[in-house]
Amino acid sequence: MRPCMRNQQRNLRPLSGLLALVLLALSPTSVLAQTQQIPAHPRELKYTTLTYTPPKRDQYRHVLSNGVVAYFVEDHDLPLVNISTLVRTGSYLDPAGKEGLAALTGTQMRVGGTTSKSADEFDEAADFLAANITNFIGPTQGNANLNLLAKDVDQGLALYFDMLRNPRFQEDRIKLAKSQMLQNMERRNDRTDAIEGREWSRLMYGTDHFSTKETTKASIDGITREDMIAFHQRYYQPAGFIFAVSGDFNTKEMLAKLEAATKGWPVNKQAVPSVPKPVNTLVAGVYTVHKADVNQGRVSIGHAGALRDSPDSYALEIMNDILGGGGFTSRIMSRVRSDEGLAYSAGSSFGLGVYYPGNFRASFQSKNPTASQAIDIVMEEINRVRATKVTDEELETAKNSAIEVFPRIFATAAQVASTFAQDEYTKRPADYWTTYRDRIRAITADDVQRVAQKYLQPDKLVVLVVGNIDEIGKGNPDKPQYSLLKIAKDGQIRRIPLPDPLTMVYPSNP
Amino acid sequence: MKKTSLSLLALLLCVQFAAAQKVPVQEMVLDNGMRLLLVPRKGDPNVAAGWVARVGSVNERPGITGLSHLFEHMMFKGTHAVGTKNIDENLKLIKEMDTVRVELRQEEQTLIRKARLGEISDNKDPKYRSQRHKELLARFNELTKREKDLMVKDEFDRIYTTAGGSGMNAGTSTDFTVYFINVPANKLELWFWMESDRLRNPVFREFYSERDVVHEERRLRTDSTPTGKFNEQYESMFWQSSPYGWPVVGWPSDLEGITREEALDYFAVNYAPNNLTACLVGDVDPVRAKELAQQYFGRLPRGPRSPEPVRTSEMPQLAEKRMVAWAETVPQVRVRYHTVAEGHADDFTLDILASLLSGRTGRLYKSLVLQQSVANSAGAGQDGRKYEGLFELNGVAKPGKTPEEVEQALYKEIERMQKELVDANELQKVKNQYAANNFRGIQSNFGLMVQLLLRDNNRGWETINTDPARHQAVTPEDIRRVANTHFKPENRTIAIYYTKKKADGAVDDPALAGLTDQEKIQIGQMKGMLSQAKAEQIKMMLSRFEQQASSAPADKQNFFKVVKKMLEDRLKQLEGGNQ
């Protein structure tokens, strides 16, 4: 052995580095190593116990004098600071006919300058500071982020709050953004993955829910600068904020900085409307979208899921892990990919929604002749996890994995801050993380079967296939027992046409 | 890649480092030549663990393209100890399967020959198979079934998953193959056990069905995306002699033909410890880690011979190359120049030059998107690889503009770089970003682990601490010099993407209705030229053009009409002082 230690100019962690040097000098490593036996199988390896206590929410939680909640997690290893603001808003608040307003407001706040700085001036100032500033509005949340070197934090905060408080919404930037949006809109029917995602949501949540409302040329054309100003004024005010700060800063000082930045900013207590739930009746069956030019079908199979705060969520997590969520140790991956070589990626997710039930979805991509066979296998596995108990080994693997991987949720200061801020935003029960591992430990094979029977409903499955349906329909001449038609229990293969990408009107006769 | 996309690695590779802080790496070299890098860090009780084999598709040859990547998949199939109920039976069975495969290959080659001579239409159609061929397939399927019965399915994955391993994956690139995972701090020995075991005694189970999985991966990434297959062709056109010309996933004909024997030969040389570096970052005790490295990796025998560097280098390009594709995508252009390999002095300058051009305050966005309104987006980047390098500029045309107009506008910005010195402030802005990105890139244990491995794969991990100063040292004169050295017209390769016609025959620009695809391309190219031309030149073109039009055949009249209108419009625009 030729251990070679490099001396470093500056250690990231001087203490542990120094300690390591001392220890190395003392231990006769090579002698020790050679005398040890290597076990024949890893099951014979012995491990020390690892005790881990997750961080406590209250330890990091602070409330500003105006009532805004902020999480501060210090970490002085690297001279970086990250400041994140969650904003109570979302595209679910888009007025009918102005789809795209929330998203456009979010991006234009960032790129359209501020009342005191033109768009160019703002961008130049941010780039010269090497400050990464982002702002966007998603379906049920707005998020503004600032990441920069600690030495520049005051200048960075000034820019960041100028953006949050005084956006200019410069006309030429709005025009450019609309042109880019329209260009991308025209390409909506190009990619089979994009088509699959869009149609899956429509099948799951119906066409009246905000989550499936698409922008159109008319809705984008109709959005004005005044609309954006009004949208910003309504939602971007401290009562809607939660801060998450991590990195190289001092909590007391940062608290004062945030106080100063939000001082005099009117706190609007007007309640933000709640997120609407979908009203949709799923119609089970086989749905297809034809795309001639591809040699692989994309398939999604599933139905409605459950709520995140459901007491069954833990058992559902384990059940799905065994069925298709656990990668190579899960049943769907093992059969579709490793056994048969029918797909590169295959698996399932069980959606646990915060505001309304998510959806259960098994998916894979397979070449035209074998797509139907793979669907058959997935259906079989859905039936099997309901019909028979999972094995002890499977249960053990899934539970152990969830428990052992748990500390990674809080691996970095930024993760601690953002996890707690998100929990605050979505009103997650405060004891969730402290009780999580015990709740997982308590799950039995009976629990898994019970939730499988309760939440997986084979006769309600929706099957969506996007690809060359003519070819997929032909199946595999060597294996005529598998066919799309046989999968459709009502004998019907429904065709979903491609919509006009600018109006999103679906032709009635495909 | 086993599970995730290659873009993650591309992203990691792009992260840059600055000079301010040194990463304290402890290095150890075993007697068999294997290298181990350690960075103990406090934080959560986990270790980011991985290793790299200094081999990628650049080390392949025609006939075995895609082997590095297929091999990466095979490394998860278990070993003598993991993944089987009876290893002796298992090995006997594998031998038998390979014997059947040799005969099957002869049958397949007969069919390939027949297809080549046009005697049959498709060598894969089962109806052309001989009786012997069918018997062999049946025999092989039976052996596959027996192999399955002997297997402990996905035991390799199960052991890690049960122990709390997470994020296990692997990736293959042109220059490297990397394997990684996060393990809980108390499972460090398990990692040494598992990784040294699969490097010592791998068993390539399910070899032939895994080739099918890779085929699906190819369909997913290359065949079934609007630009995937064209991008592959562009890459192959760009490289003339360099092995960078074939795709990492391999050519389909090679994928179908690769044998287990070829995979084993490849393994013996390229996965020998003297061609590997391992790295641990996180909650790790370096003393214990070194003991374990000695104990576990120390038992791997040195390879039969040292892997040789790639011999074939790229020929200098003598003439511009151009590809024109019709795809279901936005109209866009890519322009590539051959430049220098990773680590060459110009590589750092070209990085800085690319940053000056890119981003929202970069020159391309300001000029092409905001001022000229010719593009909706534009960017640039230097891609220095182990043996060669390239610089790429790209842009998406604004509706009503052509990719050729974007192309010409890109050349204008290149010209500025060749003629003028960049402003000190502008350069400082970019350098500030490199300095901050230095810290961002080493924040996560996992990210740092992969960076160290990839750097060690090329020029050594130490470059993480020495490269930042080289970026900071770039001067305006350096930038002007490299722009003149590399950005020559004969050294470039262009890809033009037009939006493919819709199925119903509608075209995007009504003015171009009725023209052939060829004519539309010509119009597009002319528009590009016109954006450069002066009013006088256009007048001359117009008069020459009118003469030609009078004698042109009837089916060309439409084309001439469109061109004439275009020239007139442009002339009006210039004389009206619009530009």
Side-chain angles (χ1 to χ4, degrees):
Chain A
M1 187 167 110
R2 186 160 61 85
C4 163
M5 301 274 296
R6 306 247 158 165
N7 208 3
Q8 304 303 323
Q9 280 101 326
R10 189 192 151 189
N11 260 327
L12 278 176
R13 286 152 196 81
L15 186 71
S16 64
L18 194 69
L19 206 67
L21 273 166
V22 174
L23 284 172
L24 187 82
L26 294 176
S27 85
T29 53
S30 53
V31 180
L32 200 89
Q34 275 153 19
T35 54
Q36 271 167 7
Q37 268 292 319
I38 293 179
H41 193 275
R43 73 175 75 89
E44 293 156 38
L45 290 170
K46 300 272 176 291
Y47 307 113
T48 52
T49 346
L50 198 157
T51 45
Y52 173 78
T53 319
K56 301 258 178 336
R57 192 197 286 202
D58 290 348
Q59 196 184 329
Y60 305 99
R61 193 176 187 272
H62 296 262
V63 182
L64 273 62
S65 55
N66 56 7
V68 177
V69 172
Y71 287 91
F72 298 111
V73 185
E74 292 184 32
D75 172 11
H76 302 281
D77 282 349
L78 294 171
L80 286 166
V81 182
N82 195 77
I83 294 143
S84 200
T85 308
L86 308 186
V87 185
R88 183 127 349 243
T89 183
S91 61
Y92 77 93
L93 297 161
D94 278 347
K98 301 235 183 213
E99 289 78 18
L101 173 59
L104 204 51
T105 304
T107 51
Q108 290 308 298
M109 280 174 66
R110 170 62 186 88
V111 304
T114 66
T115 45
S116 60
K117 285 189 169 64
S118 73
D120 278 339
E121 288 165 351
F122 188 95
D123 284 343
E124 288 289 352
D127 273 4
F128 199 84
L129 277 183
N132 289 344
I133 303 178
T134 58
N135 190 64
F136 66 87
I137 301 178
T140 59
Q141 191 179 82
N143 197 311
N145 204 76
L146 166 68
N147 182 291
L148 83 175
L149 290 175
K151 68 179 174 64
D152 299 323
V153 74
D154 287 329
Q155 283 167 280
L157 279 173
L159 282 170
Y160 178 73
F161 279 104
D162 197 20
M163 165 187 85
L164 283 172
R165 204 166 173 173
N166 315 306
R168 178 187 288 208
F169 295 111
Q170 209 168 297
E171 284 283 7
D172 63 331
R173 297 303 201 268
I174 297 173
K175 207 176 136 209
L176 173 64
K178 285 185 173 183
S179 158
Q180 290 166 333
M181 284 173 95
L182 283 176
Q183 189 172 38
N184 290 332
M185 232 185 254
E186 284 176 12
R187 314 270 29 107
R188 266 175 174 157
N189 293 329
D190 288 353
R191 300 184 58 99
T192 49
D193 50 357
I195 296 169
E196 185 193 24
R198 179 179 71 216
E199 299 307 332
W200 182 253
S201 293
R202 285 168 60 94
L203 287 167
M204 288 300 113
Y205 301 121
T207 52
D208 291 328
H209 192 235
F210 79 89
S211 62
T212 61
K213 286 261 184 265
E214 300 276 356
T215 54
T216 62
K217 182 171 187 303
S219 79
I220 295 302
D221 284 348
I223 294 170
T224 64
R225 178 169 177 264
E226 286 64 40
D227 291 332
M228 291 181 220
I229 292 171
F231 195 95
H232 165 259
Q233 276 194 340
R234 171 79 176 80
Y235 301 108
Y236 281 76
Q237 42 90 20
F241 293 166
I242 296 168
F243 294 119
V245 188
S246 59
D248 188 15
F249 64 93
N250 172 285
T251 295
K252 236 189 204 158
E253 287 169 25
M254 184 57 74
L255 192 64
K257 288 183 209 291
L258 295 185
E259 286 279 4
T262 53
K263 204 175 157 208
W265 196 337
V267 175
N268 179 349
K269 296 274 187 195
Q270 191 188 347
V272 176
S274 56
V275 178
K277 295 170 176 47
V279 191
N280 182 45
T281 322
L282 282 177
V283 181
V286 175
Y287 297 81
T288 62
V289 184
H290 182 62
K291 189 88 178 147
D293 204 19
V294 293
N295 58 7
Q296 191 180 52
R298 300 187 68 95
V299 178
S300 289
I301 303 168
H303 53 49
L307 284 167
R308 184 193 70 180
D309 296 337
S310 151
D312 286 335
S313 65
Y314 307 92
L316 281 168
E317 192 183 319
I318 296 299
M319 186 277 293
N320 181 66
D321 198 79
I322 294 168
L323 174 63
F328 283 81
T329 57
S330 76
R331 292 175 174 185
I332 290 177
M333 182 70 125
S334 175
R335 287 205 54 206
V336 175
R337 174 169 163 161
S338 336
D339 279 359
E340 307 288 344
L342 300 181
Y344 168 66
S345 82
S348 69
S349 62
F350 197 97
L352 298 164
V354 173
Y355 305 100
Y356 50 89
N359 61 76
F360 164 66
R361 180 180 183 183
S363 55
F364 60 85
Q365 303 83 39
S366 185
K367 61 184 176 296
N368 297 331
T370 55
S372 299
Q373 184 189 352
I375 296 175
D376 213 73
I377 293 174
V378 171
M379 298 267 205
E380 233 177 78
E381 290 305 328
I382 292 172
N383 286 322
R384 188 159 74 97
V385 77
R386 297 177 82 249
T388 52
K389 278 195 193 112
V390 297
T391 66
D392 288 347
E393 193 193 21
E394 286 176 314
L395 187 66
E396 195 64 13
T397 301
K399 284 166 65 175
N400 258 339
S401 174
I403 292 162
E404 294 266 359
V405 173
F406 177 75
R408 299 203 47 76
I409 293 163
F410 301 102
T412 63
Q415 280 171 276
V416 175
S418 85
T419 302
F420 288 146
Q422 285 294 350
D423 285 355
E424 179 101 27
Y425 188 88
T426 59
K427 303 186 174 63
R428 187 168 224 163
D431 68 346
Y432 181 77
W433 301 113
T434 46
T435 58
Y436 175 84
R437 285 174 296 172
D438 285 337
R439 287 181 198 267
I440 292 288
R441 275 186 203 108
I443 291 165
T444 64
D446 286 327
D447 293 330
V448 171
Q449 190 175 22
R450 181 182 58 78
V451 298
Q453 288 178 347
K454 183 173 171 192
Y455 292 92
L456 298 179
Q457 294 148 316
D459 52 342
K460 291 201 175 145
L461 287 173
V462 167
V463 178
L464 173 66
V465 186
V466 181
N468 189 326
I469 302 304
D470 299 343
E471 289 298 318
I472 292 169
K474 284 183 198 159
N476 183 354
D478 287 348
K479 292 177 179 170
Q481 66 269 40
Y482 305 112
S483 87
L484 215 48
L485 208 58
K486 280 189 192 161
I487 289 159
K489 291 192 187 95
D490 55 0
Q492 234 186 312
I493 294 177
R494 298 168 175 81
R495 281 224 174 185
I496 302 174
L498 290 172
D500 177 281
L502 294 181
T503 62
M504 290 311 281
V505 171
Y506 285 70
S508 45
N509 291 316
Chain B
M1 289 297 272
K2 192 166 174 249
K3 293 174 199 166
T4 59
S5 72
L6 274 169
S7 58
L8 167 76
L9 286 169
L11 194 80
L12 288 169
L13 275 169
C14 291
V15 178
Q16 303 292 340
F17 300 90
Q21 194 155 12
K22 300 288 180 187
V23 180
V25 178
Q26 301 182 27
E27 182 191 282
M28 168 190 191
V29 185
L30 297 174
D31 287 341
N32 59 17
M34 184 160 175
R35 301 161 56 73
L36 177 71
L37 311 174
L38 295 168
V39 185
R41 282 177 145 187
K42 67 177 185 205
D44 66 318
N46 271 289
V47 185
W51 52 275
V52 67
R54 288 187 275 281
V55 62
S57 62
V58 75
N59 305 94
E60 295 163 358
R61 55 173 171 75
I64 61 163
T65 66
L67 178 54
S68 308
H69 173 246
L70 176 64
F71 198 83
E72 173 218 312
H73 281 239
M74 293 318 300
M75 284 299 278
F76 292 83
K77 295 295 183 181
T79 64
H80 283 222
V82 172
T84 184
K85 292 172 195 156
N86 183 335
I87 185 60
D88 297 330
E89 276 296 306
N90 197 169
L91 292 176
K92 253 201 325 227
L93 208 53
I94 284 177
K95 225 177 210 156
E96 237 181 303
M97 290 170 91
D98 287 347
T99 319
V100 177
R101 272 284 151 188
V102 171
E103 267 198 80
L104 262 175
R105 206 156 59 243
Q106 286 167 1
E107 294 286 339
E108 285 162 3
Q109 278 163 356
T110 308
L111 291 178
I112 291 172
R113 183 170 176 277
K114 281 185 176 170
R116 185 163 64 231
L117 298 176
E119 292 164 17
I120 58 173
S121 59
D122 178 3
N123 57 290
K124 287 197 207 91
D125 193 327
K127 72 178 176 210
Y128 298 119
R129 287 174 194 157
S130 70
Q131 191 52 39
R132 178 71 188 141
H133 193 159
K134 286 175 197 160
E135 282 165 21
L136 286 166
L137 277 176
R139 173 87 186 119
F140 189 79
N141 286 340
E142 188 205 313
L143 292 171
T144 307
K145 221 186 135 281
R146 276 173 53 198
E147 186 190 32
K148 222 164 252 178
D149 293 340
L150 276 179
M151 268 166 46
V152 180
K153 277 282 288 180
D154 296 310
E155 190 184 4
F156 188 85
D157 284 83
R158 191 168 294 277
I159 291 170
Y160 263 139
T161 306
T162 310
S166 62
M168 178 165 71
N169 210 334
T172 308
S173 146
T174 50
D175 295 323
F176 61 83
T177 314
V178 65
Y179 298 78
F180 46 76
I181 189 170
N182 279 295
V183 290
N186 63 341
K187 303 289 173 17
L188 190 65
E189 185 167 4
L190 175 66
W191 180 79
F192 279 103
W193 196 100
M194 296 286 277
E195 302 304 322
S196 63
D197 185 46
R198 67 168 159 174
L199 282 164
R200 211 163 65 111
N201 282 321
V203 178
F204 304 148
R205 299 183 177 97
E206 301 174 297
F207 185 82
Y208 299 96
S209 77
E210 198 61 27
R211 291 197 319 201
D212 294 342
V213 171
V214 171
H215 245 284
E216 289 295 352
E217 187 176 359
R218 191 189 148 80
R219 283 186 196 98
L220 180 74
R221 296 191 202 288
T222 310
D223 300 342
S224 292
T225 57
T227 52
K229 37 194 181 280
F230 297 110
N231 290 337
E232 182 178 273
Q233 189 152 340
Y234 179 51
E235 187 81 33
S236 292
M237 182 177 86
F238 178 73
W239 303 106
Q240 182 188 355
S241 47
S242 164
Y244 286 129
W246 54 73
V248 173
V249 73
W251 298 122
S253 46
D254 289 356
L255 272 182
E256 280 155 24
I258 289 172
T259 65
R260 199 193 322 251
E261 209 182 344
E262 282 165 334
L264 282 167
D265 284 351
Y266 192 79
F267 174 78
V269 175
N270 295 302
Y271 280 70
N274 42 307
N275 205 35
L276 308 177
T277 300
C279 181
L280 299 168
V281 179
D283 186 0
V284 56
D285 167 9
V287 180
R288 178 77 183 130
K290 284 174 184 176
E291 277 173 21
L292 290 169
Q294 179 64 24
Q295 188 184 356
Y296 282 92
F297 288 138
R299 60 189 173 149
L300 303 173
R302 196 178 265 275
R305 58 190 161 84
S306 294
E308 281 175 37
V310 170
R311 187 177 295 157
T312 313
S313 52
E314 181 68 358
M315 289 292 289
Q317 185 171 325
L318 306 176
E320 180 186 290
K321 293 187 268 189
R322 183 174 291 265
M323 177 180 104
V324 178
W326 294 81
E328 286 190 295
T329 186
V330 288
Q332 58 190 296
V333 61
R334 299 171 70 180
V335 180
R336 275 186 174 187
Y337 297 89
H338 292 279
T339 56
V340 293
E342 194 256 355
H344 184 284
D346 289 0
D347 183 42
F348 300 92
T349 311
L350 286 162
D351 277 343
I352 296 281
L353 196 159
S355 301
L356 287 163
L357 292 173
S358 305
R360 212 164 29 235
T361 59
R363 289 185 174 191
L364 297 182
Y365 188 82
K366 279 187 179 167
S367 164
L368 274 66
V369 179
L370 293 178
Q371 284 158 23
Q372 300 178 59
S373 285
V374 64
N376 257 348
S377 66
Q382 154 74 3
D383 175 10
R385 302 185 190 174
K386 192 167 179 174
Y387 294 99
E388 314 279 351
L390 65 93
F391 190 94
E392 176 170 322
L393 300 120
N394 49 54
V396 173
K398 215 177 168 65
K401 303 285 178 181
T402 64
E404 286 84 354
E405 287 172 283
V406 179
E407 183 189 349
Q408 292 303 327
L410 290 172
Y411 296 152
K412 273 260 160 80
E413 290 308 317
I414 289 293
E415 249 173 70
R416 266 184 74 199
M417 288 288 185
Q418 290 169 326
K419 286 182 181 151
E420 300 161 19
L421 288 175
V422 300
D423 173 71
N425 214 46
E426 195 183 354
L427 182 57
Q428 191 56 48
K429 173 191 75 183
V430 167
K431 288 184 177 177
N432 289 349
Q433 287 166 1
Y434 275 82
N437 285 342
N438 159 42
F439 296 111
R440 294 185 178 121
I442 60 173
Q443 263 182 310
S444 96
N445 291 346
F446 178 81
L448 178 58
M449 178 266 294
V450 175
Q451 311 260 4
L452 288 171
L453 287 178
L454 300 194
R455 285 181 177 276
D456 212 58
N457 182 72
N458 281 13
R459 291 177 293 133
W461 67 265
E462 299 89 342
T463 56
I464 200 171
N465 291 332
T466 53
D467 279 355
R470 299 181 74 179
H471 278 125
Q472 295 296 327
V474 169
T475 67
E477 288 76 15
D478 291 334
I479 293 168
R480 190 172 61 184
R481 179 183 55 75
V482 300
N484 281 294
T485 310
H486 301 289
F487 302 146
K488 297 193 166 113
E490 67 270 23
N491 185 31
R492 71 192 177 209
T493 303
I494 298 110
I496 298 273
Y497 288 91
Y498 294 116
T499 303
K500 194 175 166 183
K501 256 190 302 190
K502 294 186 189 94
D504 57 9
V507 286
D508 289 321
D509 185 353
L512 301 182
L515 297 187
T516 66
D517 286 355
Q518 192 57 39
E519 287 168 341
K520 276 181 212 151
I521 295 174
Q522 288 173 354
I523 300 265
Q525 287 167 345
M526 274 185 227
K527 272 197 183 168
M529 278 161 45
L530 278 184
S531 63
Q532 303 292 300
K534 296 189 178 73
E536 290 310 305
Q537 292 170 306
I538 295 179
K539 274 184 198 160
M540 267 174 58
M541 275 190 243
L542 256 175
S543 72
R544 215 181 307 150
F545 198 73
E546 275 161 5
Q547 284 171 16
Q548 284 181 12
S550 57
S551 58
D555 64 341
K556 279 272 161 207
Q557 286 301 334
N558 198 10
F559 174 67
F560 275 90
K561 232 165 61 194
V562 175
V563 174
K564 189 166 165 243
K565 172 138 194 331
M566 191 172 74
L567 289 170
E568 287 166 350
D569 286 352
R570 178 66 186 157
L571 191 61
K572 246 185 260 166
Q573 214 180 5
L574 284 177
E575 290 183 332
N578 281 353
Q579 296 237 334

